[in-house]
Structures are given as C-alpha cells and as structure tokens.
Amino acid sequence: MPELPEVESLVREIAPKLTGRTLRRPRLHKTDVLRRVSPRRLLQALRGNRIAEVSRRAKHFVLRLETGERVVVQPRMTGSLVVYRAPLRPDQRRYAVLQASIGNGETMVYRDIRRLGTIELLDEAQWHAYTARIGPEPLGEDFDLRCFSARLDGTTQAIKKAIMDQRRIAGVGNIYANEALFRARIHPARRTDTLSARERGRLYRAIRSVLTAALRAHGTTIRDYRTGTGAPGSYQHQLHVYGRAGSPCSHCGARLSGTHSIDGRATTFCRRCQPRGRQARP
DNA sequence: ACGAGGTCCTGCGAGC
DNA sequence: TGCTCGCAGGACCTCG
C-alpha cells in the first residue's frame, strides 16, 4: 500500500480514533517483524500506555506514547494500521501482526499480509537519529526548489532511483516516481547529474503536484490498500503511466514503454514525451 | 562510491 | 479446472 499519500490518508483517518486511547492487552502474533526490540520489551512499553499522537514520517506510521517512546511502523508493501470492532472476525485476525484493545469495544490492529513490514520502539534519542537519516518531507512548507535541488547533488544515479531514495526525499515510492517523471517529461534513466535547472524545477513541481493530487484522492489502491474507513483510494484512475506499459500515452498516443532495468523496479514511461536526450554514457 | 542483484513474505492473475 | 510461474506499492544486504 504505502507511499506518502496512502500513509498520510490513513493517519488522518485513524488519528482521531487512536489519539488519547489507552492500550490494553497488547498481543504480538509475529515476532520476526521487530527491529532492535524484543517482543517482551515492546509489549511492556505498550501495556497500559496512552497514545499521545499518531503521525507520519516518510512512508512510516509513528505512534508517540505518553511516556515519550515512539512506535515506528514501516508497512512496506502490504502493512496497514486499522481499527476494528471487537471481537475480530477471522478475516480481520488472519494477518494481524500486532493488536491491542483501545477501549470502547475497539481494537487497534497492525496487519501485514506479506509481513515485510517492521516495527521499532524508539526513545527520544533514537527517534532523532531515525528522523535525521531520512530526507525532508516533499509537501513540507520549507521544502523549496533550492532544497530539492541540493538533495539531488552529488550522484550519477538514475533520477528515478534518486527520488525514491528515502535519504534524499521522504515518501516517494515507485508509483509516484513514475508519475512525477512523466509529468516532468524526464526519462527515468536520466543521470541525475545531467538534469538542467529547468528540469529540476519541473520535477520539483511534478513531485509536489502528483503527491498532492494523490492525497486528495486518498491514495492509490492497486490491490490491498484501504483507507482507515476500509474504503479504497481512487488515484489509480488518474495514473498516466504506472501499470500502463503497452497502452497509449495519455498525452501523445505513443505506446508506453516498460522496463525493470532501473533498480529492478517496474518502470513505465513515454519514449516520445520523456526522451532520453543526449548525454554522456554512464 | 556505485550498480546489480538477492532477500525477506504471501497472494494473485496470467498462461498453459 | 488446476497447476506453475512471475510479479507486486519497500528497504535492507552483499558482492564486485
């Protein structure tokens, strides 16, 4: 599910349901998802603790507890944070990784079908180290073109790989990287250090606008992702290139190209609208 | 320092 | 219908 718009949509919907609630009877069903914390330690931290704030950083959920510790959940491909009415139906329980009663007959569940997601428990110092390793939020007010451009400096990587690198910019994943590059008319394999100032400007605006539009649509639902109310997002109807290889380009009608040659990820683009251009051989 | 590729998992759709 | 295969929104690792 999870790029910035999906996680942000989910956080906006479930934050009111979780904030101020006290966690009771926490249960961990899978322990291989924990990073640098023991099951015992995590459960101990959750038990009887109150959720002070629910937020997002990059593509991750952040539950700040009243005691100051933070539970950081990286949902990766199929993880999701939901609130169910107790008792859970079998299908609601099936992929539950972590759950806790939150009062009012409700249960908070972190569910993850593929179990690629991770859970960490961070104290204040660890939180600062964690957030410092990640790039700026692309929809943040202080994320201007100068900041974006500086983040692209010093690499010869393909531009698509660079904008998906969480250390450079937070929250951009495969879907929105493809879409932003199409909007900016930049070939995904272009070497980052060959982008002109004009192209950097176009890409900066494209990233912001595609994420904003996707957020307005409550994210993109390809398969599993659901918003906090269980409804699918709707941005999949507005995708120009992602998942459309072989189909006509919405702008010029040419057949969209598909490849896995950049970082092994599905990449779709229009050869005519996003020409590779002339550049030095890598 | 970089790119390529493997790894962690399960489910689904395409194709035979 | 039933099977196998390839692929999937992410991020980590090792190797060369």
Side-chain angles (χ1 to χ4, degrees):
Chain A
M1 59 152 284
E3 299 185 37
L4 186 154
E6 289 75 32
V7 178
E8 180 66 25
S9 296
L10 203 43
V11 163
R12 288 182 186 181
E13 289 180 18
I14 61 168
K17 300 183 187 182
L18 294 178
T19 306
R21 298 294 189 93
T22 300
L23 300 164
R24 309 272 183 208
R25 296 188 302 283
R27 288 212 298 256
L28 188 64
H29 303 286
K30 312 285 178 191
T31 56
D32 57 348
V33 303
L34 300 183
R35 288 289 172 274
R36 292 183 292 274
V37 60
S38 68
R40 184 190 161 85
R41 173 85 186 83
L42 178 68
L43 293 172
Q44 185 184 32
L46 295 177
R47 195 173 293 118
N49 213 334
R50 196 192 301 266
I51 299 176
E53 184 187 18
V54 181
S55 61
R56 176 192 62 76
R57 175 73 173 112
K59 307 169 187 174
H60 314 151
F61 301 105
V62 182
L63 305 185
R64 183 167 60 82
L65 304 174
E66 201 171 45
T67 50
E69 290 167 305
R70 287 174 175 84
V71 179
V72 175
V73 177
Q74 298 199 15
R76 301 272 173 100
M77 298 289 219
T78 54
S80 184
L81 200 57
V82 289
V83 173
Y84 292 134
R85 291 217 65 82
L88 271 52
R89 298 192 311 262
D91 60 301
Q92 294 172 330
R93 195 174 9 228
R94 176 145 185 221
Y95 300 108
V97 170
L98 175 69
Q99 69 178 77
S101 298
I102 55 171
N104 231 1
E106 292 175 322
T107 303
M108 178 190 82
V109 178
Y110 169 62
R111 69 195 297 273
D112 188 354
I113 296 169
R114 286 171 67 184
R115 259 193 297 135
L116 296 172
T118 60
I119 300 173
E120 295 175 76
L121 180 71
L122 308 180
D123 64 23
E124 197 67 22
Q126 290 171 319
W127 162 255
H128 285 297
Y130 154 86
T131 197
R133 279 196 306 270
I134 302 174
E137 290 289 333
L139 296 184
E141 286 186 8
D142 47 358
F143 185 71
D144 56 16
L145 175 55
R146 180 190 303 261
C147 173
F148 173 67
S149 197
R151 286 276 149 183
L152 297 182
D153 283 344
T155 184
T156 58
Q157 285 175 333
I159 185 61
K160 176 162 179 267
K161 185 168 175 169
I163 60 174
M164 288 176 66
D165 184 340
Q166 300 302 294
R167 292 166 299 188
R168 296 182 186 280
I169 314 159
V172 178
N174 200 30
I175 293 180
Y176 302 114
N178 277 297
E179 295 297 313
L181 288 163
F182 174 77
R183 285 189 183 216
R185 306 193 305 279
I186 296 170
H187 192 291
R190 273 287 298 284
R191 268 176 45 166
T192 297
D193 61 342
T194 68
L195 260 63
S196 66
R198 188 182 293 263
E199 288 173 321
R200 287 177 183 227
R202 288 210 304 268
L203 186 53
Y204 165 78
R205 290 186 296 276
I207 288 171
R208 302 247 296 184
S209 64
V210 75
L211 291 177
T212 303
L215 193 49
R216 210 177 296 127
H218 305 286
T220 301
T221 296
I222 301 295
R223 186 174 291 167
D224 304 301
Y225 165 71
R226 292 294 181 275
T227 68
T229 56
S234 66
Y235 196 70
Q236 62 276 16
H237 304 302
Q238 298 175 57
L239 297 174
H240 288 277
V241 288
Y242 180 81
R244 297 193 62 242
S247 301
C249 170
S250 58
H251 182 71
C252 77
R255 251 172 78 92
L256 294 175
S257 305
T259 176
H260 281 79
S261 65
I262 302 167
D263 208 23
R265 310 295 303 279
T267 299
T268 316
F269 61 100
C270 176
R271 284 185 197 287
R272 200 183 296 173
C273 297
Q274 300 163 267
R276 176 89 191 224
R278 199 179 300 238
Q279 64 170 298
R281 279 266 151 237

